[in-house]
Amino acid sequence: QVQLQESGPGLVKPSETLSLTCSVSGDSITNNYWNWIRQPAGKGLEWIGRIHFSGIANHNTSLTTRLIMSVDTSKNQFSLKLTSVTAADTAVYYCARDSGVEVRGVVFDFWGQGTPVIVSS
Amino acid sequence: DIQLTQSPSTLSASIGDRVTITCRASQSISNLLAWYQQKPGKAPKLLIYKASTLESGVPSRFSGSGSGADFTLTISSLQPDDFATYYCQEHNDYSMWTFGQGTKVEIK
């Protein structure tokens, strides 16, 4: 069974960088595409970005200038860095898998449990 | 960017009711729409993709329909486990993907 698990600091100071890692088990990180999605408390879902081990990446256009994503094939993990954070970046952050446009479109079939991140001094 | 508008925002229903949620896209997205169910404190769960294809393991009381810009999610007979928030998501775009604002299904 495919499992994803987010990890990282739960508290980040304003203007600093939010860093999260998603560890994947039950699937190779080279097989699919890997996404970050966030959800502010009591609000809806916002897709953040998507990465493939080959380097192909897509970003939410509202976050492009602050977003860095990477893949570590040796650890079967992928990571998110969001720079210059503000209170508006406070949310639960999820990692999720998609199988690619050609397979069944970009739909998120496996998700991590989510990790809360608070931006506050 | 494609915008998705769900209605209603909240829906009150009873066990056994037939429930319908709609999702309207700001432009045609063919049949490339997915539906998710989210319970409090949990990650969303994929229910349907390509408007009407049921994800493996999802009960058959869930169904989806529509094409172009108008879509519906129907629960044929609401069960206690179905009280949750439902989101649509377009998977038409090749570079960015968006969700609807959600529909909360509450107990009447």
Side-chain angles (χ1 to χ4, degrees), chain B residues 17-57:
Chain B
D17 283 354
R18 181 181 181 88
V19 167
T20 298
I21 299 168
T22 66
C23 181
R24 175 163 288 177
S26 58
Q27 64 188 69
S28 176
I29 56 172
S30 184
N31 69 333
L32 297 178
L33 189 95
W35 291 96
Y36 299 81
Q37 176 193 67
Q38 186 180 32
K39 297 181 179 179
K42 300 293 187 183
K45 172 187 174 183
L46 177 64
L47 299 176
I48 288 168
Y49 61 95
K50 288 187 178 179
S52 61
T53 302
L54 210 61
E55 176 72 340
S56 176

Side-chain angles (χ1 to χ4, degrees), chain A residues 23-75:
Chain A
S23 299
V24 179
S25 59
D27 190 11
S28 170
I29 200 85
T30 61
N31 282 347
N32 291 290
Y33 292 78
W34 307 95
N35 296 264
W36 292 98
I37 295 162
R38 68 182 181 180
Q39 185 173 36
K43 296 188 177 181
L45 299 161
E46 179 183 33
W47 175 80
I48 297 170
R50 177 182 190 246
I51 191 164
H52 188 259
F53 85 100
S54 64
I56 295 171
N58 305 102
H59 299 159
N60 186 316
T61 54
S62 69
L63 299 170
T64 296
T65 59
R66 300 195 290 131
L67 189 61
I68 303 167
M69 295 184 296
S70 60
V71 173
D72 187 337
T73 55
S74 67
K75 295 182 179 179

Side-chain angles (χ1 to χ4, degrees), chain A residues 39 60 94 104 106 108 112, chain B residues 36 38 49 55 87 89 91:
Chain A
Q39 185 173 36
N60 186 316
Y94 295 99
R104 51 182 181 172
V106 178
F108 311 112
Chain B
Y36 299 81
Q38 186 180 32
Y49 61 95
E55 176 72 340
Y87 292 93
Q89 175 233 328
H91 56 104

Side-chain angles (χ1 to χ4, degrees), chain B residues 2-9 20-30 32-36 51 64-74 86-91 98-103:
Chain B
I2 298 170
Q3 309 298 319
L4 297 177
T5 303
Q6 290 183 233
S7 60
S9 296
T20 298
I21 299 168
T22 66
C23 181
R24 175 163 288 177
S26 58
Q27 64 188 69
S28 176
I29 56 172
S30 184
L32 297 178
L33 189 95
W35 291 96
Y36 299 81
S65 64
S67 65
D70 292 304
F71 301 86
T72 60
L73 171 69
T74 299
Y86 293 84
Y87 292 93
C88 57
Q89 175 233 328
E90 58 82 14
H91 56 104
T98 55
F99 293 87
Q101 82 279 14
T103 295

